[in-house]
Amino acid sequence: MGKNPLLLMNIVDVIQEGVIKGIKALYGADITAEQVTMNSTRKEFEGDYTVVAFPFARIARKKPDQIAEELGGFLVEEVEEVEKYNVINGFLNLSLSNGFWREFLAGICEDEAYGQQPANGKKVMVEFSSPNTNKPLHLGHIRNILLGWSTSQILKTAGYEVVKVQIVNDRGIAICKSMLAWRKYGEGASPESAGEKGDHFVGDYYVLFEKKFREEYNDWQQSEEARKVFGQQSENGQSEEAFFKAFKNTYFNEYSLLGAEAKDMLLKWEAGDKATASLWKQMNDWVYQGFDETYRSLGVEFDKLYFESDTYLLGKDAIRKGLEKGVFYQKDDGSVWIDLSDVNLDHKLVLRSDGTSVYMTQDIGTAQKRFQDFGVDKMVYVVADEQNYHFQVLFEILKRLGEPYAEGLYHLSYGMVDLPTGKMKSREGTVVDADDLIAEVVEEARKNTAERDTISGLSQEEQEEVIRKIALAALKFFIIKVQPRKRMVFDPKESVDLQGQTGPYVQNAYVRVQSVLRKAGDQPLSAASAYQQLEPQEKEILNMLYSFPGLVQLAAEEYDPSGIANFCYDLAKAYHRFYHDHSILNAGTEAAKAFRLQLSRAVAHVLKQGMNLLGIEMPDRM
RNA sequence: GGCUCCGUAGCUUAAUUGGAUAGAGCACCUGACUACGGAUCAGGAGGUUGCAGGUUCGAAUCCUGCCGGAGUCACCA
């Protein structure tokens, strides 16, 4: 943190230590820091920090109120920063001295990096986004990307070296469907000739394939062959409709011409057929250009990409070694399994009887490769909660294989994003496209900004930049303020709201500070040290500023950015209220004015830092 | 059915990890600058924290059992 000696030791620790000494001196008992429960004093009471006296009742054999009273007296006497106290219902509320807060504020005004922890020498890899290359990104990816990005930012600020990666699912039957449809119906078209983003272009051929396939399937259902299949394979009383719905996969694999062509293409790809490989590369390159554009507009980037086409064969060595070590066992048919029933995870296949890999095999191999590549201490996988079981198993396996990073594995699991109308379903066309959504919020921000007419003095490009920042703040904040594990309802209408508990509300607090600072000009703020009587609202804000580094630490430990979002909102709210109730530039004294300018600057700095952790940029005007 | 997660105001959600009278926003109603930016502020109304027990000074939070919802239990990814 800062150079200010007062900041070297957290005041919470100082008080805790004081309490431990106090209990020893007053009652002769030894307690640990964990036994001292402390939190910020609630707004309706006077004080900065509160010590709960109830747990000491048994030790001291006195009533909590009396203990609090005695402890309060002791702390005021022994701890320099504690100025006074009051006791309510067994809660000891401590007020820190004005001098403490003044020095704290002066300290963070000097400290450009307030909130940034020193490097801890540990490296963590965060995997997120991880798209398939047969269709564009959608709302679900946006939640994933925002979580991954902000978690990376938070870990970096908490002192880790962070490596951001994605694993791109660039192979398999899905992309072959797009390739086939393009070859059959595309007539040599390209994203350029079609005037379309590459990922949408390729996605359209995927959809076209599905459409053609459905037509073929429907025609087939009228055929003699289909009647025979239905007669032989349908269960008692099963309707034709239900049967053919369930039969679709089998049809694709065993009867369909299109299906056969697609599968043939996959085989050719796996065999390294040149023409197939070059078509595959062409299609994927189009997709990546599209993805890059979306990533750019979201303001995210990656350090390294892993491609499944490179990694899908990895992991077999690890299985073999694991077999030798007795981690896995082999069945008579040659398939390899692991028995995890002792940890309630059942038996799981790790290698097919024909010796080919499954998903789990690749993931084992990929984890090992990543460790070889970067030597990371931790790996975080940002993946939706439908894969909870998969990651439990994967982590357990890596642990049993004795991987050095096994203790540092974390699945950042998040809930699906629902729409007010229900689940997103690609089949029903209810998927919210990422690019469309971004365009929509930008449009909304543009309308709002035009109505207010607050930035018309800026150049056209500058106005666009401000509008983009506002729009993305609205969208990102809306998503990231919800705890990851909770399933969330995404209302497109609410997501573009610019008032209330939103990103633009927080930005507005920052913009207000910038406006005040511009008006104040460049003047020395040393008069602040003469400011004597701090207002409760000023102390409240200082308290929040003080808690910021600890909050970042907590967010890093829990891999949960939502707390930072809520903190930024609370801080902005406190500042808005302060701004309304107290004049800054027309404050009663020079000391008050200087102090409040310092305070405003510190608030702006922490808001900017905090929002940066969420991937949200701050405009200077809006 | 087994396992996992979720259930807080009409809606979207907090709660410093077991602490004080469960806190915000949206929507609804009422107010506030000749003021440093009204994308703001203040007030009103809105709650049996799914239900029932238990643990203890104290429970939205921990335990048990129900109710409701979701996910997952493939030689798919």
Side-chain angles (χ1 to χ4, degrees):
Chain A
M1 265 202 285
K3 302 149 199 141
N4 189 326
L6 264 177
L7 299 180
L8 289 178
M9 190 165 184
N10 195 291
I11 190 66
V12 172
D13 296 333
V14 172
I15 295 172
Q16 270 182 344
E17 210 168 89
V19 171
I20 292 169
K21 274 193 221 158
I23 294 293
K24 178 77 174 169
L26 293 165
Y27 313 115
D30 290 306
I31 58 167
T32 63
E34 286 78 55
Q35 289 173 270
V36 185
T37 48
M38 262 186 71
N39 36 33
S40 291
T41 303
R42 295 175 65 109
K43 262 197 303 221
E44 58 266 40
F45 303 106
E46 189 191 349
D48 296 310
Y49 290 95
T50 295
V51 177
V52 186
F54 286 98
F56 309 134
R58 198 169 300 145
I59 297 167
R61 298 176 182 283
K62 289 186 179 175
K63 291 195 170 138
D65 270 2
Q66 194 184 343
I67 297 167
E69 197 65 49
E70 292 169 358
L71 208 49
F74 180 88
L75 290 172
V76 167
E77 205 58 37
E78 299 292 322
V79 179
E80 191 192 330
E81 295 86 354
V82 177
E83 192 170 69
K84 55 181 180 174
Y85 72 94
N86 66 81
V87 175
I88 299 169
N89 282 334
F91 293 91
L92 169 60
N93 302 317
L94 303 168
S95 298
L96 302 183
S97 68
N98 289 333
F100 169 79
W101 287 124
R102 262 200 319 269
E103 285 187 43
F104 162 66
L105 180 57
I108 57 174
C109 281
E110 293 291 301
D111 187 357
E112 277 304 311
Y114 181 65
Q116 172 70 50
Q117 302 298 107
N120 63 15
K122 290 193 182 140
K123 204 185 273 188
V124 54
M125 175 176 290
V126 182
E127 175 201 292
F128 60 103
S129 189
S130 305
N132 296 335
T133 56
N134 64 316
K135 54 189 169 219
L137 304 175
H138 58 70
L139 179 51
H141 290 111
I142 291 189
R143 188 176 196 193
N144 181 307
I145 290 165
L146 297 182
L147 280 170
W149 179 262
S150 58
T151 299
S152 301
Q153 292 289 94
I154 287 165
L155 287 167
K156 204 166 92 189
T157 305
Y160 289 91
E161 183 182 340
V162 179
V163 184
K164 300 184 289 291
V165 306
Q166 44 176 324
I167 178 129
V168 183
N169 186 2
D170 60 344
R171 63 169 285 280
I173 193 70
I175 185 66
C176 286
K177 288 179 182 176
S178 290
M179 284 154 62
L180 185 62
W182 182 84
R183 182 175 278 173
K184 286 176 93 83
Y185 318 112
E187 296 170 357
S190 70
E192 293 77 27
S193 74
E196 207 180 359
K197 245 176 115 237
D199 50 343
H200 288 95
F201 179 81
V202 172
D204 286 349
Y205 282 99
Y206 184 78
V207 171
L208 181 62
F209 178 92
E210 290 296 330
K211 183 171 162 248
K212 295 283 184 187
F213 171 70
R214 230 174 9 253
E215 284 168 10
E216 186 200 277
Y217 188 35
N218 285 340
D219 288 348
W220 181 79
Q221 283 171 35
Q222 311 305 319
S223 71
E224 271 310 306
E225 191 180 26
R227 317 256 27 105
K228 218 166 86 188
V229 168
F230 176 68
Q232 287 169 351
Q233 299 186 26
S234 65
E235 288 161 32
N236 264 350
Q238 194 180 21
S239 75
E240 227 174 282
E241 198 191 336
F243 173 78
F244 283 118
K245 204 176 160 190
F247 191 71
K248 195 173 160 192
N249 251 339
T250 314
Y251 173 77
F252 178 88
N253 284 319
E254 294 175 18
Y255 297 83
S256 168
L257 285 173
L258 282 171
E261 284 187 80
K263 287 193 327 188
D264 183 52
M265 198 167 242
L266 181 57
L267 286 176
K268 278 187 177 156
W269 181 89
E270 283 178 357
D273 175 68
K274 273 208 172 132
T276 309
S278 88
L279 173 58
W280 171 78
K281 187 172 179 316
Q282 174 68 83
M283 299 287 283
N284 275 336
D285 282 348
W286 284 334
V287 170
Y288 299 144
Q289 283 173 27
F291 284 170
D292 283 347
E293 209 175 301
T294 307
Y295 290 142
R296 252 200 314 280
S297 62
L298 283 173
V300 303
E301 56 195 23
F302 297 85
D303 301 308
K304 171 156 179 79
L305 306 192
Y306 285 91
F307 296 94
E308 266 196 17
S309 52
D310 295 327
T311 63
Y312 80 111
L313 295 175
L314 294 177
K316 291 186 192 178
D317 278 354
I319 304 299
R320 197 177 314 119
K321 283 181 194 148
L323 255 179
E324 286 165 16
K325 283 168 70 178
V327 174
F328 305 120
Y329 67 90
Q330 194 156 28
K331 287 190 178 175
D332 291 340
D333 63 5
S335 60
V336 181
W337 297 72
I338 187 164
D339 177 5
L340 299 174
S341 51
D342 55 328
V343 287
N344 230 337
L345 292 173
D346 216 329
H347 293 247
K348 190 79 188 172
L349 177 92
V350 293
L351 204 62
R352 290 193 187 106
S353 51
D354 64 7
T356 57
S357 327
V358 290
Y359 189 32
M360 191 65 73
T361 326
Q362 299 179 39
D363 273 2
I364 293 166
T366 304
Q368 293 179 332
K369 176 163 173 50
R370 287 171 170 181
F371 181 71
Q372 286 161 17
D373 289 350
F374 292 97
V376 292
D377 303 283
K378 291 170 182 271
M379 292 191 205
V380 179
Y381 297 77
V382 185
V383 180
D385 63 6
E386 59 191 350
Q387 294 195 34
N388 283 353
Y389 174 70
H390 173 77
F391 281 102
Q392 277 181 13
V393 172
L394 174 65
F395 294 170
E396 183 64 27
I397 291 174
L398 291 170
K399 198 164 108 190
R400 294 189 184 195
L401 288 173
E403 298 297 315
Y405 49 86
E407 293 305 319
L409 294 164
Y410 186 78
H411 173 206
L412 205 177
S413 165
Y414 62 91
M416 295 287 176
V417 184
D418 292 325
L419 300 173
T421 47
K423 284 180 75 159
M424 283 201 295
K425 292 210 160 129
S426 54
R427 243 183 252 149
E428 289 159 28
T430 54
V431 173
V432 177
D433 178 77
D435 298 312
D436 291 350
L437 181 59
I438 293 167
E440 197 182 324
V441 292
V442 168
E443 205 36 58
E444 193 66 25
R446 194 193 314 284
K447 267 194 291 187
N448 266 279
T449 305
E451 276 171 28
R452 285 174 226 277
D453 191 34
T454 44
I455 56 170
S456 46
L458 302 179
S459 74
Q460 202 60 39
E461 298 83 66
E462 286 171 326
Q463 290 189 35
E464 270 310 303
E465 187 60 12
V466 170
I467 287 166
R468 195 189 62 82
K469 283 179 180 171
I470 295 171
L472 283 169
L475 176 60
K476 291 180 176 182
F477 196 90
F478 185 84
I479 290 174
I480 218 144
K481 70 178 180 182
V482 180
Q483 289 169 359
R485 73 165 171 282
K486 291 203 178 178
R487 207 179 169 98
M488 72 173 289
V489 177
F490 183 88
D491 188 337
K493 281 206 299 286
E494 276 184 48
S495 73
V496 299
D497 270 353
L498 310 176
Q499 287 165 26
Q501 192 174 18
T502 66
Y505 174 96
V506 180
Q507 288 177 323
N508 187 40
Y510 178 85
V511 165
R512 280 184 140 174
V513 173
Q514 301 314 309
S515 175
V516 169
L517 292 179
R518 273 194 299 272
K519 286 219 161 67
D522 212 12
Q523 53 176 290
L525 302 179
S526 52
S529 60
Y531 186 53
Q532 285 307 319
Q533 202 52 54
L534 275 67
E535 298 288 339
Q537 287 185 10
E538 292 166 341
K539 283 203 197 179
E540 184 194 346
I541 289 170
L542 285 163
N543 230 302
M544 299 178 93
L545 296 177
Y546 195 90
S547 70
F548 179 60
L551 231 60
V552 175
Q553 202 62 43
L554 188 69
E557 278 163 25
E558 305 198 329
Y559 307 97
D560 179 0
S562 67
I564 300 293
N566 286 299
F567 167 81
C568 288
Y569 171 73
D570 288 339
L571 179 57
K573 187 175 168 62
Y575 186 78
H576 275 308
R577 193 188 309 129
F578 165 74
Y579 178 92
H580 178 267
D581 292 348
H582 301 282
S583 188
I584 298 165
L585 295 176
N586 298 316
T589 64
E590 277 306 303
K593 182 177 164 185
F595 182 85
R596 287 173 186 171
L597 281 170
Q598 273 191 342
L599 186 65
S600 299
R601 229 165 64 185
V603 166
H605 177 255
V606 170
L607 284 179
K608 189 172 189 172
Q609 280 270 105
M611 291 292 263
N612 180 50
L613 295 180
L614 311 177
I616 298 176
E617 298 173 84
M618 293 298 217
D620 289 327
R621 302 168 202 261
M622 65 192 285

